[in-house]
Amino acid sequence: MINLNDTAKANLDEALANSGLRSTRQREQIYAVLLKRRDHPTADEVYARAKEVMPTISLATVYNCLETLVDCNLVKKLNYEREPSRFCPNDGEHAHFLDEANGRVYDILLPEDFQSMVSKILPRGFEAKKVKLTFTGYAPNDLDTNSL
Amino acid sequence: MINLNDTAKANLDEALANSGLRSTRQREQIYAVLLKRRDHPTADEVYARAKEVMPTISLATVYNCLETLVDCNLVKKLNYEREPSRFCPNDGEHAHFLDEANGRVYDILLPEDFQSMVSKILPRGFEAKKVKLTFTGYAPNDLDTNSL
DNA sequence: GTTGATTTTTGGAATCATTCCAATTTAGTT
DNA sequence: AACTAAATTGGAATGATTCCAAAAATCAAC
């Protein structure tokens, strides 16, 4: 029914507990869906995939769970223009590349010191808590579904 | 009624002509509104400001004009999460800084070679047409309404 | 394990920025 | 002035997301 390996499950439970939240079947399922195919699905797509295996889950719950996971810092929410948000499980700092040809989003690994490097661009007095870097263009056409 | 200086008007007319589009009172007015206060207003805010001086303009027209100006590359559309889009007249490459304290957006000047610099982060085969850099955090609290 | 208190889930309604539409008006041309 | 194509307009439609109140599930204490 669910499909989370032990360490992922442990991470989830810990992150939820840290925020004083409960571990539920639905939250596990949503997290499992995101880990299984890292193709930056929208809430609707997550809903469809979760339903295959948990047919009674509701769309509202999918939104709730995704928001919870984002708040716990286990998942990132991506936005391009005002298109539907996409979600990716969080493996630390990375940029995103949107392929205009097929609409896919690829993760781009960032150098360790990226945030401090780029923060030097800021004038005196600006304190950045977060930096977001997104590319748009054409990706090589021989990549598989998952990100790099 | 409108309030565009000669060079701005000339830029607008040229950009529109380049795209085979007509120069209209509404388009001039919307562009003038954006140039007058560079505080990254939403479509609604642009609508309110335009209406003060052109009471019959419609919201649909504001959306149309903004889209046209963006297409002509005279204006940039900014998005944070899925909040309403904001608009800023385009003075070349710059990043944006969202102040979490007051919701204001500041333009951040970028070094000339920024795009080529940061494109080196991309793995072989990725061709970036656009790069977007956005910061979130706290800005110094003695800045005026307009951007840097 | 049952009870009670608190969270979470759920389906459907509501929201709201934006887009669409068909009719009218305007701009540019002959 | 007349004609054609483009732009504007108000209102309806769209669609992702949020809100709501009721039902179900979880956790803690006994």
Side-chain angles (χ1 to χ4, degrees):
Chain A
M1 157 166 109
I2 300 178
N3 183 10
L4 263 188
N5 70 44
D6 289 349
T7 75
K9 164 87 168 114
N11 283 345
L12 173 61
D13 288 353
E14 190 198 338
L16 288 170
N18 281 345
S19 303
L21 299 169
R22 294 176 179 170
S23 188
T24 66
R25 286 181 306 126
Q26 288 86 343
R27 284 172 179 165
E28 283 188 38
Q29 185 58 60
I30 297 305
Y31 191 43
V33 163
L34 290 178
L35 289 176
K36 178 152 182 209
R37 260 185 78 191
R38 303 177 154 244
D39 61 349
H40 309 92
T42 63
D44 265 336
E45 289 165 340
V46 172
Y47 178 46
R49 295 178 198 176
K51 231 159 117 167
E52 285 174 13
V53 87
M54 186 184 275
T56 60
I57 198 170
S58 75
L59 181 56
T61 299
V62 171
Y63 274 101
N64 289 340
C65 291
L66 287 171
E67 188 187 10
T68 299
L69 294 174
V70 169
D71 289 345
C72 290
N73 220 37
L74 289 167
V75 166
K76 277 209 180 86
K77 177 156 87 164
L78 312 185
N79 293 96
Y80 278 97
E81 306 278 316
R82 283 184 43 95
E83 287 170 16
S85 298
R86 297 152 171 260
F87 298 87
C88 73
N90 192 356
D91 317 89
E93 289 296 322
H94 58 263
H96 289 108
F97 189 104
L98 172 65
D99 188 331
E100 289 189 338
N102 61 18
R104 287 193 191 147
V105 173
Y106 301 95
D107 290 346
I108 303 292
L109 207 63
L110 287 178
E112 270 300 328
D113 57 344
F114 178 76
Q115 167 139 2
S116 66
M117 218 182 69
V118 80
S119 288
K120 294 208 176 70
I121 292 169
L122 292 173
R124 173 172 298 285
F126 283 86
E127 299 221 12
K129 287 172 57 185
K130 290 199 303 192
V131 183
K132 196 168 285 182
L133 180 67
T134 48
F135 299 89
T136 316
Y138 297 108
N141 45 25
D142 55 351
L143 294 173
D144 70 10
T145 303
N146 285 345
S147 40
L148 302 181
Chain B
M1 157 165 109
I2 301 175
N3 183 12
L4 264 188
N5 71 46
D6 289 350
T7 74
K9 165 86 167 117
N11 283 345
L12 174 60
D13 288 353
E14 191 198 339
L16 288 170
N18 281 346
S19 302
L21 299 169
R22 295 176 179 170
S23 187
T24 66
R25 286 180 305 126
Q26 288 86 343
R27 285 171 179 165
E28 284 188 36
Q29 184 59 57
I30 297 306
Y31 192 42
V33 162
L34 290 179
L35 289 176
K36 178 151 181 211
R37 261 186 77 191
R38 304 178 152 245
D39 60 348
H40 310 92
T42 63
D44 265 336
E45 289 165 340
V46 172
Y47 179 45
R49 294 177 199 177
K51 231 160 116 168
E52 286 176 11
V53 87
M54 185 183 273
T56 60
I57 198 171
S58 75
L59 181 57
T61 299
V62 171
Y63 274 101
N64 289 340
C65 291
L66 287 170
E67 189 187 10
T68 299
L69 294 173
V70 169
D71 289 346
C72 289
N73 219 38
L74 289 167
V75 166
K76 276 209 181 87
K77 178 155 88 164
L78 312 185
N79 294 97
Y80 278 97
E81 305 278 317
R82 285 185 39 98
E83 289 171 13
S85 297
R86 296 150 172 259
F87 298 87
C88 72
N90 191 353
D91 320 87
E93 289 296 323
H94 59 262
H96 289 108
F97 189 104
L98 172 65
D99 188 332
E100 288 189 338
N102 60 20
R104 287 191 189 147
V105 174
Y106 301 95
D107 290 346
I108 303 292
L109 206 62
L110 287 177
E112 269 302 325
D113 57 344
F114 178 77
Q115 167 138 2
S116 65
M117 219 182 69
V118 81
S119 287
K120 296 208 176 72
I121 291 170
L122 292 173
R124 173 171 299 283
F126 284 87
E127 299 220 12
K129 289 172 54 184
K130 290 198 303 189
V131 182
K132 196 167 284 182
L133 180 67
T134 49
F135 299 90
T136 315
Y138 296 109
N141 46 25
D142 55 351
L143 294 173
D144 69 11
T145 305
N146 284 344
S147 40
L148 302 181

